[in-house]
Amino acid sequence: MAEKQRILIVDDDENIAELISLYLMKECYETKCVLDGEEALLAFREFHPHLILLDLMLPGMDGYQVCREIRKDSSVPIIMLSAKGEIFDKVLGLELGADDYMIKPFDSKELVARVKAVLRRTAAQPAASHSASSMPVQKGRYVEYPDLTVNLTNYSVIYNGHSVEMPPKELELLYFLASSPNQVFTREQLLDHIWGYEYIGDTRTVDVHIKRLREKIKDHPGWALTTVWGVGYKFEVKQ
């Protein structure tokens, strides 16, 4: 039997934490609830969660501090939960390394959907293959190909030995495609994975970002950003 995925729930409201736990246990996740930041760090080390649901307003050490401490050692997915819906709070949470941000009160079905989406993205990152020089070296949250390194931990891209500046969404799109070499993604799938549920726009957004990436990252003899006509895009690795 496959091991259940473990989710750590951090919320100082015990009723909310238990309610979230019930939703997730119905989906066959194993859960653990803690009520403050110090407990969260201890549980993180002992429970080894596959994902953390992290409230921001915690007694003592707040959610931002907890996220910062965890990111020193781990890239475990974190979804922040908060009643604070200002853009500043969302941006700060994401800049500290959160993978998603949900505003309270939230719908239970949306919470479960976002948990599944984040875990799916994490699971979709393949293990490194060393069978050919053009295949990626991958560890943690970066991928490395000949003459190209994309690091999602510190949001950096090194191409032909030089740092390349690019906005977060461009870098996330490049990382996502490069993490799954030769896999074709539709524009709708890329919108879902990179821009998420709350994005209001159309698939041309993906085309624009691919165009900008191609202006900065030229095709290489071993790999290329390729259009699959009528379908979408892939990071093609040549054997």
Side-chain angles (χ1 to χ4, degrees):
M1 182 181 294
E3 179 188 23
K4 286 186 178 181
Q5 290 179 298
R6 297 178 297 278
I7 299 178
L8 177 62
I9 302 164
V10 187
D11 199 306
D12 65 337
D13 188 321
E14 191 170 355
N15 292 327
I16 290 178
E18 289 180 356
L19 192 60
I20 292 172
S21 179
L22 285 173
Y23 294 145
L24 294 172
M25 286 193 294
K26 283 184 179 179
E27 299 293 327
C28 296
Y29 294 110
E30 181 180 349
T31 66
K32 181 178 182 64
C33 300
V34 297
L35 305 178
D36 63 53
E38 295 289 347
E39 272 192 282
L41 293 180
L42 289 173
F44 163 68
R45 298 184 182 102
E46 296 172 359
F47 186 57
H48 303 294
H50 294 91
L51 181 143
I52 300 173
L53 292 173
L54 178 61
D55 186 32
L56 291 183
M57 304 302 289
L58 298 170
M61 179 182 291
D62 67 20
Y64 292 123
Q65 293 173 291
V66 173
C67 183
R68 191 180 291 113
E69 288 300 313
I70 289 173
R71 280 291 174 260
K72 290 179 181 178
D73 304 310
S74 173
S75 60
V76 61
I78 296 174
I79 299 178
M80 285 186 169
L81 309 175
S82 178
K84 302 168 79 174
E86 288 80 5
I87 294 297
F88 170 80
D89 297 303
K90 289 185 180 181
V91 170
L92 178 58
L94 295 171
E95 286 182 344
L96 287 174
D99 296 82
D100 204 349
Y101 188 108
M102 290 192 69
I103 300 170
K104 295 179 178 179
F106 44 75
D107 180 80
S108 61
K109 290 181 180 178
E110 182 184 0
L111 174 65
V112 171
R114 291 205 187 199
V115 165
K116 289 181 177 179
V118 171
L119 288 171
R120 187 167 59 243
R121 289 199 295 268
T122 305
Q125 297 172 7
S129 170
H130 303 281
S131 59
S133 61
S134 59
M135 293 302 286
V137 175
Q138 181 170 340
K139 180 180 179 182
R141 289 163 66 89
Y142 76 86
V143 288
E144 184 175 1
Y145 290 89
D147 301 317
L148 177 68
T149 301
V150 186
N151 191 322
L152 199 61
T153 301
N154 60 13
Y155 274 72
S156 66
V157 175
I158 305 298
Y159 172 61
N160 282 337
H162 300 283
S163 178
V164 179
E165 294 296 325
M166 60 178 64
K169 289 305 179 190
E170 285 181 25
L171 188 147
E172 290 166 13
L173 179 59
L174 178 61
Y175 174 83
F176 180 75
L177 289 168
S179 295
S180 301
N182 296 324
Q183 183 172 341
V184 180
F185 293 95
T186 67
R187 292 167 176 82
E188 289 78 9
Q189 286 175 318
L190 294 172
L191 277 175
D192 178 33
H193 282 284
I194 307 302
W195 281 267
Y197 291 90
E198 295 181 354
Y199 180 73
I200 300 174
D202 60 36
T203 56
R204 286 175 294 182
T205 300
V206 176
D207 298 334
V208 170
H209 279 72
I210 291 289
K211 179 176 181 291
R212 290 173 181 166
L213 282 172
R214 284 173 171 159
E215 290 171 353
K216 299 171 183 178
I217 306 292
K218 307 297 182 184
D219 288 351
H220 185 275
W223 48 262
L225 274 173
T226 303
T227 301
V228 181
W229 296 107
V231 183
Y233 298 99
K234 69 176 177 178
F235 190 92
E236 183 179 4
V237 173
K238 300 160 188 178
Q239 303 296 333

